[in-house]
Amino acid sequence: MLSKGFLTIGLLIISNVFMTLAWYLLFSWSIALFEYSFQVPANRIGFDGNGGPFSLLELKVIQEVITLTVFTLFSMLLFGLKLQWNHLAAFFCLVMAVWFTFQKP
């Protein structure tokens, strides 16, 4: 059985793939419906106020990292984006942002 943390992150990834497609395709609003059908349960399952493992801030940081990762992969596959050193440096900063977010004071 998957933990709530992995389930939350998996649903957010699926949600983000749909939203990324929605921004670039003509029938975007019909795709956005699928995005919301994954994002809303992910946030409800993952929120620590509902018994999940993540605070609101942690959920937002996770979502932003997923958004940028999905967008980067989408750009590479569909638009031929070539990663440069500054993209890798930015990704490292995102990883560090996640790490700092999850550090307990």
Side-chain angles (χ1 to χ4, degrees):
M1 181 185 231
L2 293 175
S3 73
K4 286 185 177 183
F6 284 118
L7 180 58
T8 298
I9 291 170
L11 290 171
L12 287 172
I13 290 170
I14 294 168
S15 160
N16 203 274
V17 167
F18 281 115
M19 187 48 81
T20 300
L21 289 171
W23 276 104
Y24 293 98
L25 298 176
L26 295 175
F27 55 100
S28 62
W29 291 109
S30 62
I31 293 174
L33 172 66
F34 291 106
E35 187 267 340
Y36 287 113
S37 69
F38 291 101
Q39 183 182 36
V40 171
N43 286 315
R44 286 188 180 173
I45 293 167
F47 176 50
D48 59 9
N50 293 333
F54 304 117
S55 70
L56 289 176
L57 178 63
E58 291 168 342
L59 278 169
K60 183 60 180 170
V61 170
I62 290 168
Q63 180 61 41
E64 291 303 321
V65 170
I66 290 170
T67 297
L68 292 171
T69 302
V70 169
F71 178 77
T72 300
L73 293 172
F74 184 82
S75 297
M76 289 170 61
L77 293 172
L78 272 72
F79 298 113
L81 172 74
K82 303 288 187 236
L83 288 181
Q84 305 295 321
W85 72 267
N86 56 326
H87 301 137
L88 298 174
F91 185 74
F92 175 75
C93 289
L94 287 171
V95 170
M96 293 308 299
V98 172
W99 184 80
F100 280 118
T101 300
F102 282 86
Q103 296 306 302
K104 302 299 178 204

